[in-house]
Amino acid sequence: MTTLLTGGAGFIGSHMSALLLEYEHDFVVVDNLTNSDVSQLKKLEKFFKKKIPFHKIDIRDKSSMKTIFDRYEIDSVIHFAGLKAVNESVNEPKLYHDNNVVGSECLIELVCKYNIKNFIFSSSATVYGEPVYLPIDEDHPLKAMSPYGQNKIDIEKLIIDNPFFNTRCATKILRYFNPVGAYNNGLIGEIPRGIPNNLMPYLLGVVNGTYPYLQVFGDDYKTNDGTPIRDYIHVMDLVEAHLMALQDNKLGIDIYNVGNGKGVSVMEMIKAFEKVNKIEVPYKIMPRREGDVESCYANNKKIGEVLNWKAKHNISDICKDAYLFSQQLKK
Ligand code: NAD
Ligand code: WQD
């Protein structure tokens, strides 16, 4: 039996691939490579001495996708594929709706047709918008702050409103907080395309000399040191949550936050990075970034209690692994 990973060549999908290879779990990757290339999968193939079945397909191409469902005995699907740049979604809302929501609709049609037993969808903490209370639990009201966030809410609704997912499939909606870090001493990691928007990829660009300093977007928030707080989760902890979700065959839909449950400020991240990697991170305080929330961190009790998942990595591990990966990239 085989698991289909849509978007499996990307950051989180390639780390999922690494974990599935460790567990000798059969899988096939489908990705249109709009935001990735096959380099990470190639590295894994070399390391594990195993071929990864890969097909360059867009999930909206239903006939090609059908050949994948026909060819492999797919019994589970992890749906990572999607565009994820918040700013880009503001400029290109139609593109985002078409790729993310219409793409998911096409996939869902096949998931139902092929009676898939387990389905996992990559949602995001962005669906919560500006937090009304902290830590955020799964019952927190949803409010999109960008077309990307609206896409995630729309896709969740497509799943929730579909009787197949409620009665015939073990369905998990995982709302990720801020995934960072890398696999196995930096064998694979996140390769940002263009100038990174996210904190860790930009910070890595600074310590590797691409950018002169990190811009810290605001130090006048009502937090311990004035900089915004997020819930950074090691990507290997995140993909482990998927493996646990895949092993739970209870029919119906469960929604889980996947976060460390601990808030870390931008300054705390910089200090942790400097300490564990023994390297200075030059930074400048800049004005606030539009659309940023002050604090966002998870109540992760539900996934701990129901799936027995627990994050194993702390912020130092995250900073160490991310740096190791960026060092590998330079070689
Ligand atoms: P990524 O861009 O590295 O990976 C997504 C992959 O999907 C890419 O390889 C891309 O080429 C592929 N893709 C996009 N549209 C496709 C399409 N129509 N058909 C086939 N392939 C397509 O992003 P990631 O960080 O690995 O994110 C994976 C998923 O997790 C996304 O759905 C994202 O929205 C979600 N998510 C990510 C984060 C984060 O901060 N990284 C946080 C919350 C949720
Ligand atoms: C973290 C903190 C910035 C860059 C985004 C998406 C969200 C989700 C994860 C997919 C913030 C600060 C950042 C920099 C900085 N993705 N920062 N200098 O904003 O929490 O979430 O990625 O679902 O949808 O919105 O993550 O890494 O961009 O920012 O000071 O150069 O770092 O202000 O406080 P964010 P981020």
Side-chain angles (χ1 to χ4, degrees):
M1 289 308 197
T2 304
T3 301
L4 167 65
L5 308 187
T6 72
F11 171 42
I12 302 169
S14 58
H15 287 77
M16 188 77 237
S17 301
L19 192 66
L20 294 178
L21 284 164
E22 277 187 10
Y23 279 80
E24 298 182 10
H25 182 116
D26 286 337
F27 64 98
V28 53
V29 170
V30 158
D31 198 302
N32 67 359
L33 303 181
T34 45
N35 198 39
S36 55
D37 55 43
V38 291
S39 61
Q40 305 298 286
L41 298 181
K42 290 281 166 226
K43 280 193 195 170
L44 292 176
E45 285 185 336
K46 199 166 161 207
F47 183 73
F48 285 96
K49 299 185 179 57
K50 194 159 187 258
K51 184 109 191 76
I52 300 174
F54 169 76
H55 298 270
K56 183 172 183 256
I57 297 176
D58 190 297
I59 55 167
R60 291 165 292 183
D61 176 356
K62 280 197 241 171
S63 66
S64 301
M65 286 296 287
K66 199 171 167 297
T67 62
I68 301 298
F69 281 84
D70 284 332
R71 175 166 164 192
Y72 299 90
E73 276 185 46
I74 290 170
D75 65 343
S76 49
V77 174
I78 309 182
H79 178 28
F80 297 109
L83 297 172
K84 62 161 181 177
V86 173
N87 287 349
E88 189 183 45
S89 81
V90 173
N91 297 326
E92 303 259 18
K94 245 180 80 52
L95 168 75
Y96 267 66
H97 180 83
D98 189 51
N99 191 80
N100 294 350
V101 182
V102 177
S104 297
E105 253 168 347
C106 296
L107 178 71
I108 284 172
E109 199 183 306
L110 292 174
V111 166
C112 298
K113 185 173 154 67
Y114 284 83
N115 218 0
I116 295 304
K117 299 276 167 289
N118 300 76
F119 181 75
I120 301 177
F121 170 59
S122 302
S123 190
S124 167
T126 196
V127 297
Y128 297 120
E130 178 92 51
V132 178
Y133 57 83
L134 288 164
I136 301 174
D137 61 24
E138 290 83 355
D139 295 324
H140 187 285
L142 307 188
K143 192 171 187 298
M145 292 176 72
S146 67
Y148 168 75
Q150 190 59 50
N151 292 166
K152 291 295 184 197
I153 293 177
D154 291 348
I155 302 164
E156 286 197 4
K157 194 164 158 31
L158 282 177
I159 296 168
I160 291 165
D161 291 346
N162 187 324
F164 173 81
F165 291 110
N166 284 282
T167 56
R168 289 168 54 198
C169 180
T171 311
K172 310 283 186 283
I173 292 172
L174 303 184
R175 293 180 179 152
Y176 313 163
F177 280 66
N178 291 56
V180 271
Y183 176 62
N184 191 20
N185 296 324
L187 176 71
I188 61 166
E190 179 174 18
I191 304 180
R193 261 139 252 277
I195 302 170
N197 290 313
N198 296 117
L199 179 63
M200 183 57 84
Y202 201 97
L203 191 158
L204 294 173
V206 171
V207 293
N208 289 323
T210 312
Y211 309 109
Y213 55 85
L214 177 70
Q215 304 181 63
V216 173
F217 297 132
D219 70 345
D220 56 353
Y221 288 95
K222 287 196 211 78
T223 59
N224 51 348
D225 57 24
T227 62
I229 288 178
R230 295 291 182 274
D231 184 333
Y232 299 95
I233 174 165
H234 196 291
V235 62
M236 292 315 295
D237 285 330
L238 174 64
V239 295
E240 196 168 23
H242 292 66
L243 193 60
M244 290 171 145
L246 211 52
Q247 285 156 354
D248 176 18
N249 292 320
K250 183 173 78 65
L251 295 180
I253 301 169
D254 282 308
I255 301 178
Y256 295 108
N257 282 340
V258 198
N260 242 312
K262 284 186 197 76
V264 171
S265 75
V266 175
M267 280 315 297
E268 284 170 344
M269 177 69 107
I270 294 173
K271 296 296 161 217
F273 193 97
E274 290 184 328
K275 189 167 174 210
V276 71
N277 295 315
K278 301 184 178 45
I279 185 166
E280 196 195 339
V281 180
Y283 68 88
K284 274 192 191 169
I285 305 295
M286 306 298 285
R288 290 181 179 199
R289 186 172 68 174
E290 206 189 315
D292 268 350
V293 303
E294 183 169 274
S295 294
C296 175
Y297 51 95
N299 176 333
N300 60 11
K301 233 174 118 189
K302 186 174 172 191
I303 191 164
E305 284 176 2
V306 185
L307 295 184
N308 212 12
W309 173 87
K310 197 171 178 290
K312 294 174 183 156
H313 300 85
N314 61 23
I315 201 71
S316 300
D317 304 324
I318 284 171
C319 291
K320 184 168 141 270
D321 290 344
Y323 187 52
L324 281 171
F325 173 67
S326 72
Q327 296 294 97
Q328 297 281 346
L329 263 190
K330 286 205 316 192
K331 283 181 193 162

